[in-house]
Amino acid sequence: MKSEPNAFSIDDLKRDGSTSWTGVRNYQARNFMRDQMKKGDKVLFYHSNTKEPGVVGTGKVSKESHPDHTALDKKSAYFDPKATQDEPRWYLVDIAFEKKFPRTVTLTKIKDTPALAEMKIVQKGNRLSITPVSKKEFSTILQLARHD
DNA sequence: GCCAACGTTGGC
DNA sequence: GCCAACGTTGGC
């Protein structure tokens, strides 16, 4: 799951303990949260649009799919006039903090790691903010977080 | 700040 | 239903 650290960083998640993943307004990303992500599933927390983009830690799904209330809030930057109480249109999951890596597993590092060549994040033009990660990829990232 | 790669919108 | 125009993402 990508987040811009300016908006919400791994440190924010650590501070808050958990968060509702608000603001996703892309159908594919929404569908992953609504249909695929189950309680207890682990997630990689990725910092995008920053000096050193990469995976900075892990979290886990603490609450499965429920409506993203910010879509109904006129004052929210994420307000969507097409969303209603009955048809919320946008869904999210809650993510609990697990750990922050001692160092970032950078996008550069990921690109240099053959075992991670299939990760969606390194594939050309992939701008999706939420993408599935295989168990193998997940454990490879954890290893890279421990040593080079 | 640039720009490639998308996704969405809306006229037709 | 097509597709041009527009907006956004996100690495560099």
Side-chain angles (χ1 to χ4, degrees), chain A residues 80-92:
Chain A
D80 179 353
K82 291 176 183 161
T84 65
Q85 284 285 354
D86 288 343
E87 289 286 336
R89 193 151 127 136
W90 301 110
Y91 293 84
L92 48 68

Side-chain angles (χ1 to χ4, degrees), chain A residues 115-132:
Chain A
L116 299 176
E118 299 301 314
M119 279 193 81
K120 304 280 187 212
I121 199 96
V122 296
Q123 265 147 53
K124 191 178 170 186
N126 199 321
R127 304 175 313 162
L128 264 189
S129 61
I130 300 175
T131 51

Side-chain angles (χ1 to χ4, degrees), chain A residues 1-3 21 24-26 29-30 46 121 126-131:
Chain A
M1 301 181 91
K2 294 182 194 171
S3 184
W21 205 264
V24 170
R25 296 294 178 266
N26 170 285
R30 177 204 69 182
Y46 179 96
I121 199 96
N126 199 321
R127 304 175 313 162
L128 264 189
S129 61
I130 300 175
T131 51

Side-chain angles (χ1 to χ4, degrees), chain A residues 2-129:
Chain A
K2 294 182 194 171
S3 184
E4 300 192 16
N6 287 338
F8 191 82
S9 72
I10 188 75
D11 291 319
D12 293 326
L13 183 61
K14 185 176 184 179
R15 182 198 61 215
D16 297 346
S18 72
T19 190
S20 290
W21 205 264
T22 55
V24 170
R25 296 294 178 266
N26 170 285
Y27 290 107
Q28 257 187 290
R30 177 204 69 182
N31 292 349
F32 284 133
M33 289 199 287
R34 192 189 59 187
D35 307 330
Q36 311 275 114
M37 297 174 72
K38 300 302 174 192
K39 189 168 179 175
D41 284 355
K42 302 208 174 202
V43 305
L44 297 173
F45 198 108
Y46 179 96
H47 279 175
S48 66
N49 240 321
T50 187
K51 203 169 184 180
E52 196 177 54
V55 181
V56 291
T58 64
K60 64 181 171 188
V61 177
S62 54
K63 188 178 177 187
E64 286 176 28
S65 175
H66 53 112
D68 182 345
H69 58 87
T70 63
L72 301 171
D73 179 3
K74 283 202 174 79
K75 288 174 192 152
S76 170
Y78 303 129
F79 176 69
D80 179 353
K82 291 176 183 161
T84 65
Q85 284 285 354
D86 288 343
E87 289 286 336
R89 193 151 127 136
W90 301 110
Y91 293 84
L92 48 68
V93 295
D94 287 6
I95 297 297
F97 175 77
E98 208 166 61
K99 67 180 158 193
K100 181 184 176 180
F101 295 157
R103 86 183 96 179
T104 302
V105 178
T106 63
L107 179 61
T108 309
K109 185 71 191 172
I110 293 171
K111 284 178 173 168
D112 285 347
T113 305
L116 299 176
E118 299 301 314
M119 279 193 81
K120 304 280 187 212
I121 199 96
V122 296
Q123 265 147 53
K124 191 178 170 186
N126 199 321
R127 304 175 313 162
L128 264 189
S129 61

